[in-house]
């Protein structure tokens, strides 16, 4: 049996293949070891090259420093500034130990101070002056007293009655406090290391912020733009307007001047005398009025293009009407609280009344209704498809605008009559009757 196995040619072939694969495996392992050794050798050479480059750069910078100190010995300030720049390039901290003499602060390193801002004069109002004479601002008339509170309603009476039936349960608060105290004890026992890590992280963040170019630029503005900010402070405090358009121009000028600062909020918070509440109220009024005027101009400039599909045109008109109604609703919702703030800072607020911008926006909606009904009327004249749906949509939109604006003007009434007559004519043609609409 063993002789038959030894004489089997297939086993001999398999043995030869096994020996060849083992030899290939050993050769690949040797090559792998050689490649690993070469990789280690290359890494060593790369590190030595980097070290030589850094040494050469460092020596070159130090030579520049020595030359500048020798040539500029009469000007110690320039030499110290140049040396601090070299130390930063070398990656060192320019402290007193690194400098030969003098004292360099972190705020003066790598910071280029800007020149103080020379502000432009504020815009002149059309009816009154923005600057009051000295002493007038301090003696200005106090704001009118707030209106009396409204009488209590029936709902408030019911609420007061229901609250009398409630009774406080101090045991609930005691139980809650006992639970929170026990949780605090366990947290204090187990998180001492975590607290220490948080403190170290805060220190690291503080060190990074002190070296931040952004914070250095803010400190520079606080130091160099003090007179500029004080000038703007006086202008805002003394600004008194009777027209909202004049206030809008003043806010536009103020925003342009404040844009010179690196970060307006971050710089102005270092000046407690800055009238932040009044400036924010003026901006709020100007931006709200500007948004309403932009919406009004967008509605007035609306063009009914017959090249555009009627569905898209009607959707555009409805979207504009939605924005008009939303703006009017928003003004009515915030008018009472906002007008008190505006009166306190002598900011015009009459544009928020019903006969101000609200009335103008309602009149603008009449143009949308007129364009809507004209487009539907023309479509009904040339097309029979979906005539009843278009008629219903136009009637619904006309009623919506009529209720919103409080009626129609002459042109809108004329457009409505044309729509109604066209609808009646189509109905007569369909029914074969001559009844009047």
């Amino acid at each position: 049996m063993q002789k038959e196995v030894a004489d089997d040619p297939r086993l001999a072939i398999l043995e030869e293949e096994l020996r060849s694969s083992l030899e290939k495996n050993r050769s690949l392992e040797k090559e792998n070891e050689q490649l690993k050794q070469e990789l280690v050798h290359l890494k060593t050479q790369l590190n030595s090259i980097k070290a030589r480059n850094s040494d050469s750069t460092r020596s070159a910078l130090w030579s520049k420093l020595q030359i500048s100190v020798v040539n500029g010995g009469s000007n110690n300030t320039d030499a110290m500034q140049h040396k601090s720049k070299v130390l930063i390039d070398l990656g060192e901290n320019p402290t007193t130990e690194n400098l030969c003499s003098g004292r360099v602060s972190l705020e003066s390193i790598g910071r280029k101070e800007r020149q103080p801002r020379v502000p432009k004069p504020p815009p002149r109002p059309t009816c009154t002056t923005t600057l009051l004479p000295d002493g007038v601002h301090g003696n200005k008339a106090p704001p009118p007293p707030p209106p009396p509170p409204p009488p209590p309603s029936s709902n408030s009476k019911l609420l007061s009655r229901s609250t009398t039936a409630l009774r406080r349960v101090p045991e609930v608060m005691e139980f809650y406090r006992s639970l929170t105290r026990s949780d605090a004890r366990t947290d204090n026992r187990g998180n001492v290391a975590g607290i220490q890590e948080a403190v170290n992280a805060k220190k690291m963040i503080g060190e990074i912020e002190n070296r931040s170019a952004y914070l250095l630029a803010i400190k520079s503005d606080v130091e160099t733009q003090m007179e500029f900010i004080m000038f703007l402070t006086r202008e805002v405090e003394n600004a008194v307007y009777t027209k909202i358009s004049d206030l809008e121009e003043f806010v536009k000028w103020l925003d342009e001047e404040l844009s010179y600062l690196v970060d307006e909020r971050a710089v102005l918070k270092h000046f407690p005398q800055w009238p932040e509440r009044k400036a924010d109220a003026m901006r709020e009024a100007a931006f709200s009025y500007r948004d309403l005027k932009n919406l009004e101009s967008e509605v007035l400039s609306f063009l009914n293009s017959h090249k555009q599909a009627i569905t898209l045109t009607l959707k555009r008109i409805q979207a504009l009407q939605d924005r008009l109604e939303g703006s009017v609703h928003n003004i009515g919702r915030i008018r009472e609280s906002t007008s008190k703030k505006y009166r306190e800072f002598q900011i015009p607020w009459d544009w928020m009344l019903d006969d101000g911008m609200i009335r103008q926006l309602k009149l603008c909606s009449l143009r949308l209704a007129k364009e809507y009904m004209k487009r539907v009327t023309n479509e009904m004249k040339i097309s029979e498809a979906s005539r009843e749906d278009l008629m219903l949509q136009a009637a619904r939109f006309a009623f919506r605008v009529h209720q919103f604006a409080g009626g129609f003007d002459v042109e809108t009434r004329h457009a409505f009559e044309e729509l109604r007559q066209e609808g009646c004519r189509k109905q007569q043609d369909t029914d074969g009757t001559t009844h009047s609409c």
Side-chain angles (χ1 to χ4, degrees):
M1 184 69 181
Q2 293 179 355
K3 185 176 181 181
E4 291 178 359
V5 173
D7 295 338
D8 192 353
R10 290 178 297 177
L11 292 178
I13 293 173
L14 291 176
E15 288 178 357
E16 289 293 333
E17 290 179 356
L18 180 59
R19 282 195 295 270
S20 62
S21 61
L22 291 175
E23 290 178 359
K24 288 181 180 179
N25 190 16
R26 284 194 294 268
S27 62
L28 290 175
E29 289 179 354
K30 290 181 181 180
E31 290 179 1
N32 191 14
E33 292 295 333
Q34 292 176 359
L35 290 175
K36 285 183 180 180
Q37 293 177 1
E38 291 180 1
L39 181 60
V40 172
H41 182 65
L42 290 175
K43 286 183 178 180
T44 306
Q45 290 182 349
L46 182 60
N47 292 331
S48 62
I49 291 172
K50 287 183 179 180
R52 285 198 299 270
N53 289 337
S54 61
D55 292 339
S56 61
T57 304
R58 193 180 290 264
S59 61
L61 291 174
W62 276 115
S63 62
K64 287 182 181 180
L65 175 61
Q66 293 174 359
I67 294 172
S68 63
V69 171
V70 172
N71 295 334
S74 59
N75 192 349
N76 293 330
T77 305
D78 295 340
M80 293 300 299
Q81 291 178 353
H82 183 74
K83 185 168 184 178
S84 63
K85 183 178 182 302
V86 172
L87 288 172
I88 293 174
D89 293 336
L90 292 174
E92 298 179 2
N93 188 12
T95 57
T96 54
E97 291 80 3
N98 294 326
L99 298 178
C100 296
S101 62
R103 184 176 181 180
V104 180
S105 62
L106 287 174
E107 290 81 0
S108 63
I109 296 172
R111 184 185 70 192
K112 184 179 179 181
E113 293 185 353
R114 300 192 295 172
Q115 295 296 326
R117 169 75 169 177
V118 179
K120 299 178 183 179
R124 294 181 178 274
T126 57
C127 58
T128 183
T129 57
T130 57
L131 290 178
L132 298 177
D134 294 339
V136 175
H137 178 70
N139 299 326
K140 65 180 181 180
S153 61
S154 59
N155 293 332
S156 62
K157 291 180 180 178
L158 293 175
L159 182 62
S160 62
R161 268 187 219 146
S162 62
T163 54
T164 56
L166 299 178
R167 183 173 60 86
R168 297 180 64 86
V169 182
E171 290 83 1
V172 177
M173 183 61 67
E174 293 178 359
F175 180 68
Y176 172 73
R177 286 180 178 176
S178 64
L179 292 178
T180 54
R181 279 198 297 267
S182 61
D183 291 341
R185 289 193 210 100
T186 55
D187 292 341
N188 290 333
R189 291 195 197 105
N191 295 332
V192 176
I195 294 173
Q196 186 65 29
E197 291 178 359
V199 172
N200 295 334
K202 288 181 180 180
K203 290 182 180 179
M204 293 175 62
I205 293 173
E207 293 178 0
I208 294 172
E209 288 180 348
N210 288 332
R211 297 170 181 265
S212 172
Y214 168 73
L215 292 180
L216 294 178
I218 291 176
K219 292 180 181 179
S220 175
D221 276 357
V222 172
E223 296 171 359
T224 59
Q225 308 300 329
M226 183 178 298
E227 295 183 1
F228 167 65
I229 295 175
M230 295 305 297
F231 170 78
L232 297 181
T233 300
R234 291 191 297 270
E235 292 294 329
V236 173
E237 288 178 345
N238 298 331
V240 178
Y241 293 97
T242 58
K243 289 186 177 180
I244 187 63
S245 57
D246 294 336
L247 176 66
E248 184 183 6
E249 292 297 324
F250 178 81
V251 170
K252 188 184 300 183
W253 166 83
L254 181 64
D255 287 343
E256 182 180 356
E257 295 298 322
L258 289 175
S259 64
Y260 180 77
L261 302 176
V262 175
D263 188 328
E264 174 188 332
R265 295 289 182 183
V267 174
L268 292 179
K269 73 178 183 179
H270 294 277
F271 296 88
Q273 64 273 22
W274 170 255
E276 182 179 1
R277 292 183 64 244
K278 183 175 182 180
D280 291 344
M282 295 172 70
R283 281 174 163 172
E284 178 186 352
F287 294 159
S288 300
Y289 177 76
R290 188 182 306 170
D291 292 340
L292 296 179
K293 293 295 291 183
N294 291 338
L295 178 58
E296 179 187 13
S297 62
E298 186 177 354
V299 173
L300 295 178
S301 61
F302 175 81
L303 295 178
N304 185 9
S305 177
H306 293 280
K307 296 180 180 180
Q308 192 177 34
I310 184 172
T311 54
L312 296 178
T313 302
L314 299 184
K315 285 182 179 179
R316 287 177 56 199
I317 296 176
Q318 290 177 356
L320 288 174
Q321 180 64 23
D322 292 339
R323 291 172 58 189
L324 285 174
E325 293 179 2
S327 300
V328 171
H329 174 72
N330 185 51
I331 293 176
R333 180 174 56 84
I334 65 173
R335 178 168 53 192
E336 183 177 358
S337 59
T338 307
S339 60
K340 294 179 182 179
K341 179 172 59 177
Y342 291 169
R343 285 195 296 266
E344 177 185 356
F345 297 115
Q346 298 182 348
I347 296 173
W349 60 277
D350 53 348
W351 56 275
M352 304 177 67
L353 299 176
D354 290 337
D355 56 352
M357 279 300 302
I358 292 181
R359 184 59 181 169
Q360 297 182 24
L361 295 178
K362 289 183 176 180
L363 293 177
C364 288
S365 66
L366 298 179
R367 173 180 171 80
L368 296 179
K370 181 177 63 176
E371 295 294 336
Y372 196 105
M373 290 186 288
K374 281 185 177 181
R375 183 61 189 270
V376 171
T377 302
N378 294 333
E379 189 70 18
M380 291 173 62
K381 289 180 180 179
I382 62 178
S383 176
E384 294 290 339
S386 63
R387 177 178 55 83
E388 295 181 358
D389 293 339
L390 288 176
M391 188 68 183
L392 180 60
Q393 291 180 20
R396 185 183 294 113
F397 188 79
F399 177 76
R400 173 185 176 184
V401 175
H402 182 273
Q403 297 301 108
F404 174 70
F408 284 165
D409 58 1
V410 177
E411 295 181 356
T412 312
R413 285 200 302 269
H414 181 67
F416 175 72
E417 288 298 329
E418 288 183 352
L419 174 68
R420 190 166 63 89
Q421 291 176 6
E422 183 64 24
C424 291
R425 188 179 66 81
K426 292 289 185 179
Q427 186 68 27
Q428 291 173 2
D429 294 343
T430 303
D431 299 340
T433 59
T434 58
H435 64 277
S436 61
C437 296

